[in-house]
């Protein structure tokens, strides 16, 4: 089985901020992840990444918020998208 694109969307908002979602179903989990998804969820403004969720070989699932990076506990694709949306909305209302 080849990788299958699940979601790809990019929105440039009126304020110039960018929200981008890319999710693939992959034939094998990306070590050390145990789920079959490769993803990149991005929110940025003014050329600066504000929030990003992604997973990569050797690092696994993690979340970037501003300058910090922390592990992310992946529960489901639906929860990942909800967590990302919450962070985007919280960032927008706090700035």
């Amino acid at each position: 089985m080849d990788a299958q694109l699940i979601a790809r969307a990019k929105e440039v908002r009126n304020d110039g901020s960018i929200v981008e979602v890319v999710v693939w179903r992959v034939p094998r989990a990306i070590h050390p992840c145990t789920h079959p998804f490769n993803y990149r969820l991005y929110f940025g403004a003014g050329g600066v990444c504000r929030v990003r969720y992604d997973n990569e070989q050797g690092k696994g699932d993690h979340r970037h918020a501003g300058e910090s990076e922390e592990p992310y506990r992946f529960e489901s694709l639906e929860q990942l998208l909800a967590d990302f949306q919450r962070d985007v909305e919280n960032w927008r209302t706090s700035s």
Side-chain angles (χ1 to χ4, degrees), residues 31-80:
H31 179 73
C33 302
T34 58
H35 57 79
F37 302 105
N38 184 13
Y39 59 88
R40 181 181 72 252
L41 313 176
Y42 170 86
F43 170 66
V48 176
C49 176
R50 303 298 186 193
V51 177
R52 186 174 83 233
Y53 287 72
D54 61 339
N55 62 338
E56 59 186 89
Q57 187 75 26
K59 275 181 125 175
D61 303 298
H62 57 282
R63 174 183 171 270
H64 304 258
E67 297 291 320
S68 68
E69 179 181 325
E70 61 191 26
Y72 175 74
R73 184 171 168 247
F74 184 95
E75 294 179 20
S76 69
L77 188 54
E78 294 78 14
Q79 187 63 53
L80 171 70

Side-chain angles (χ1 to χ4, degrees), residues 1 26-31 35-37:
M1 172 179 108
V26 293
R28 270 176 263 145
I30 296 170
H31 179 73
H35 57 79
F37 302 105

